[in-house]
Structures are given as structure tokens and as C-alpha cells.
Amino acid sequence: MNFDVINEFENEIASFFGSPYAIAVDCCTHGIELCLRHQKVKKIVVPKRTYSSIPFLANKLNIDLEWKDEKWKDYYYIGDTNIIDAAVLWRQDAYIENTLMCLSFQFRKHLSLGRGGMILTDNELTAKELKRLAYDGREEHIPWREQNISEFGFHYYMTPEIAQKGLEKLATAKNTKPKQWTIEDWPDLTKMEIFN
């Protein structure tokens, strides 16, 4: 398997969004989870209308959950952090400085790959740390058996096959107008039994 294709896809997405660095992950929710873990966040504040996997992270990470009634468009910040859920955003040069912006390539998104996501950042050290977190705590381009892994990580990396598909579909995505999502595309999660 050629993992270089993942780096190529990361570079293309970073260039399109205007971000210095991009870290490919297996899904947007895992990207947000990695950012929350990296920053050791103790509470998340999320809109009532979003995808259910985001508030589920509070239970998974054993942190507090607070709801906000926000009419967001294209993206929203996770509480008082610099972490952005930008799962439905597709716009050139949309990266916001000093943030961790998480994208989705799930099958309903503009760049539809079935699965996958990306974390955008302008901090080189943070990019390296998040990359290790997504790759089981290991450095890339070195076989894991040859490494002395020294930190905990997660199996959240993007596969080369998904990255290749992303490269193949990227030109079409760049030249096609994206769907404009509205807040009504999501139900009020606070009315669901699981959150009560």
C-alpha cells in the first residue's frame, strides 16, 4: 500500500482551503475527537441541531455536555475552543487562522468519498501531534515494528484507497457548486430520548 497518496491528498485539501497543514482521518467525528483529546477539553458546547455523533463524544470522553441554541451556517465552534465542526463546508480559502477545522468526506458531503475527513491547522507542531494521534501514536513513513512508540494513539487514519478516490474526485468537487445546508437539515437533538 502506498501511503504517499494520503500526503498528496492532504496537501491538495490544505491548498484548496488555504491551510498550511492538513491531517487526513477516517471521519470528521474522529477528527473532532482527536482535537478534543489533544486539547484535553473538559466540556463541549454544541448546537442543538447538529449530527448526533458530536454530542456523543461527551459520553465517550467522559466530559460535560452543554447545548446551545445556535443558528449556524457552514460551520460552528465547539464551545469555547478553537475546534470547528466544518463537516458541511466546501469553499476555497475558507480556513480560519488559529483553528482546528474538521472536514467531512462522508457520502452526503460535497466531496463524497463514502468516509473520511480532514483536520486543518496552521500550527506545525499541532499537525505533527495530531498525525501521531491518528496513526496509533506512531510516526509516518517508518514501519511501526521499527519504532519505539512512546505515546498513546488511535487507529483513525485515512486509508490510501480513500485518499486516492479523493484525488480522483477533487477536480469535479472544485468545479461544482456545493449544496447550501440549512439549520433545518438537522433535528433538535435535545428532543431525542438518548439525550434526556
Side-chain angles (χ1 to χ4, degrees), residues 32-46 57-58 60-65 78-83 100:
I32 292 171
E33 177 188 338
L34 293 175
C35 293
L36 293 169
R37 287 181 182 277
H38 181 262
Q39 293 190 354
K40 297 176 175 55
V41 172
K42 300 296 181 199
K43 177 176 89 171
I44 56 173
V45 183
V46 297
L57 288 171
K60 182 176 186 179
L61 300 174
N62 196 27
I63 59 178
D64 293 331
L65 168 64
I78 305 287
D80 297 323
T81 71
N82 69 335
I83 303 166
L100 298 171

Side-chain angles (χ1 to χ4, degrees), residues 155-174:
H155 202 68
Y156 289 173
Y157 65 86
M158 178 181 285
T159 65
E161 295 84 0
I162 294 291
Q164 183 61 49
K165 186 191 267 189
L167 288 170
E168 291 166 3
K169 297 179 94 174
L170 191 55
T172 300
K174 287 179 179 179

Side-chain angles (χ1 to χ4, degrees), residues 109-126:
K109 302 307 187 296
H110 186 70
L111 181 55
S112 174
L113 307 181
R115 192 157 170 82
M118 201 79 71
I119 305 167
L120 305 177
T121 182
D122 52 10
N123 185 298
E124 183 179 10
L125 179 60
T126 297

